[in-house]
Amino acid sequence: MNRGRALLAAAVAGVALTTVSGCIAGPEPTVAVFEVPSGGQFTIELVTPELVEHAQALLAGENLAAVPQGVVVRESSSVNMPWSWHIDPATLEFTNITTEACDGIPQYVEDEILTSDSFCPWSARVIAVEGPDA
């Protein structure tokens, strides 16, 4: 009976270690790093090849829709450190036309001064594209 419990405990521990190590050592996402003048930096995960290409083109100085817009998720994300929020990468789009309600700086999102569920900083610009697809 004790041997059975020991085997069960070892199996559970193995599953837990596999799960934890899978979360920690998962694949590195491709991200765009943005800078907002007088407002700091923030990072958004790029989940499609089209978004990666668009961010790279902006970085290269091409004249494209440049304002990042997406839904704010108010929980931490490893891609947007040190902020306690991130943009849902599935909602990210680049545009030139947005409402004023989502414009601001990263600190406004952090402090919940920005009350819109979207963030679209008009003055943001791509300063880096990083990751395996960059």
Side-chain angles (χ1 to χ4, degrees):
M1 190 68 115
N2 286 339
R3 183 169 187 257
R5 286 184 186 167
L7 288 173
L8 179 60
V12 169
V15 168
L17 286 174
T18 301
T19 302
V20 169
S21 66
C23 291
I24 293 171
E28 179 182 332
T30 299
V31 299
V33 181
F34 295 86
E35 182 175 67
V36 178
S38 304
Q41 296 181 357
F42 64 98
T43 305
I44 302 176
E45 183 176 357
L46 304 172
V47 294
T48 67
E50 294 79 17
L51 288 171
V52 173
E53 290 173 15
H54 195 99
Q56 289 171 328
L58 288 171
L59 185 60
E62 291 187 33
N63 187 18
L64 301 171
V67 177
Q69 179 174 352
V71 174
V72 174
V73 178
R74 296 198 180 273
E75 58 186 50
S76 64
S77 168
S78 62
V79 301
N80 196 30
M81 297 302 285
W83 305 111
S84 66
W85 56 272
H86 65 279
I87 296 298
D88 177 353
T91 67
L92 174 64
E93 62 181 341
F94 288 96
T95 184
N96 281 330
I97 301 171
T98 66
T99 65
E100 189 175 348
C102 62
D103 183 26
I105 61 173
Q107 191 66 51
Y108 292 175
V109 179
E110 184 73 17
D111 295 341
E112 298 187 27
I113 294 169
L114 184 81
T115 57
S116 172
D117 64 343
S118 293
F119 182 45
C120 62
W122 296 349
S123 63
R125 65 181 182 91
V126 176
I127 60 168
V129 178
E130 303 170 344
D133 298 328

